[in-house]
Amino acid sequence: MSRPKIQFPSTASTREEMIDYISKKKLKDVDWKKGKAFCLVYHPGEERAAMIKEIYNLYFSDNALNPTATPSLAELEAETVSMCADLFNGDENVRGNITTGGTESILMAVKTARDWAKKHKPHITKPNIVLPVSAHPAFMKAFHYFNVDFIPVELGSDYRANPIAMRAAVNKDTIMIVGSAPSYPHGLLDPIADIAAIARDKNIFCHVDACIGGFMLPFVKKLGYPIPDFDFSIDGVTSISADIHKYGYSSKGSSVILYKNAEIRKFQFSLYTKWNGGVYGSPTMTGTRPGGSIAGAWAALKAIGMDGYLEMAKTTMEVTKKIKTAIDGIKELEIIGHPDMSILAFKSDKIDVFKLADELNKKGWHFERQQLPPTLHFTINYIHRLAADEFINDLKECVESAKKFNLGSFAASLQVGAVKGLSKILPSGTIAKLQKGGTGSPIKKENTAAMYGMMGALSGTDDLETIVLDFLDKVNSVH
């Protein structure tokens, strides 16, 4: 199906026309300001957000590509990095940069480890990185981009990284080992001290992916929750990634990548000295670096401060406890493990959680569906203080709806069962071809139980990759 052609505008639209057009478009989006989104959006409240926006807008058009042109941005970035290093118990030697998000921070960590190994371990020709299967897929993107192999290690029975298995997986070509603080799928903190000890013993890098929890765990720990060390206080940790635009509540997109010292960070930089246009050097993946994102990250830390982050963390953990208690009281649901902060996922052996997801979507809630095992994932933040009671009531009601027999759910279970059976006997790629006949909008919030059930059945197959690639093409072409 070809996408509709949109002509380039021949005349300028008025402000009123554009606002009216966008307002209608946004009616399709999740109402996150009412706490309906349990992912993607983090909001510190209107007053704090307004302060951050004001500083952001001062640098709306600025580009941090050349620090000699914008020394103020270079100073704001350095101050932000220093504040983050202090938060993560780093000393005066810690260096880092602001990136566009957690994916870029992880890309930089992998590139840095690879290039460090080229110099310090030149005998390694096929470098690999050892990480738990719960590590973020941004690592797989980095491995693909930078031609690095990886060794995924199964989790322990507690759904956390298994350091014994990870140590066994390290070989002569391993350049880095990874732990999450916490893992995104289940909100569980990996045993970073044990993982860092492996890195120390093997003389390799240890990266801590604190993208989701970096600006929550330190404050939760200060509030008295039993959070083990996960940062530069641990001997052996060489780099940390943490997203300021998540629980740091800054503008999208801003993350920070930190290294134990300047010598390590130098391997992150990109440099070319033989260009007609002069010497070209850049610290991160991007050339143009939006000034607003850097200023916004600085503004968030300064506008909120330790007291503000502690207050928001306290409220968020109280809301999390309320939601966890409610889930524990629903006999059909089971929370995965014992989440360390405000991220949780639950499964069920009594109802189809993807059917439950459809029922919750009908009431306007947005969250993540997961596989291996099938779970629903919720990231709770400060804004959910406004919606917790409504969500709990809707969850209980939707569980009852998901338990009821209907032809739609029966058909979905038959479809998933058929896919499971056919995948065992049909040649690779056949199911993907059969799926190509589907039409309609690729963005649907209801009646997805069959789709997600099939995805779980086909996990890791060429069929699923083909189906998802087609989906990405459609969803990035829709109007």
Side-chain angles (χ1 to χ4, degrees), residues 112-128:
T112 299
R114 184 200 66 175
D115 289 359
W116 179 89
K118 282 182 180 179
K119 179 176 180 179
H120 294 281
K121 295 180 178 248
H123 63 280
I124 295 178
T125 57
K126 294 189 66 177
N128 68 62

Side-chain angles (χ1 to χ4, degrees), residues 329-367:
I330 301 173
K331 64 180 183 299
E332 291 82 5
L333 306 180
E334 179 186 350
I335 294 174
I336 297 284
H338 300 282
D340 293 289
M341 43 171 271
S342 49
I343 299 171
L344 60 88
F346 60 73
K347 62 180 180 177
S348 176
D349 58 4
K350 296 180 175 63
I351 61 172
D352 181 349
V353 291
F354 297 143
K355 174 61 178 172
L356 172 59
D358 288 344
E359 295 298 321
L360 287 167
N361 284 160
K362 291 174 185 177
K363 292 183 176 293
W365 301 102
H366 187 82
F367 45 88

Side-chain angles (χ1 to χ4, degrees), residues 131-153:
L131 73 174
V133 295
S134 55
H136 196 278
F139 284 100
M140 287 62 190
K141 182 183 287 190
F143 302 149
H144 175 71
Y145 285 173
F146 299 129
N147 195 28
V148 173
D149 291 336
F150 67 100
I151 302 175
V153 179

Side-chain angles (χ1 to χ4, degrees), residues 62-82:
D62 287 272
N63 184 352
L65 170 63
N66 187 338
T68 64
T70 53
S72 65
L73 275 174
E75 291 169 6
L76 292 181
E77 181 173 20
E79 290 177 19
T80 302
V81 166
S82 184

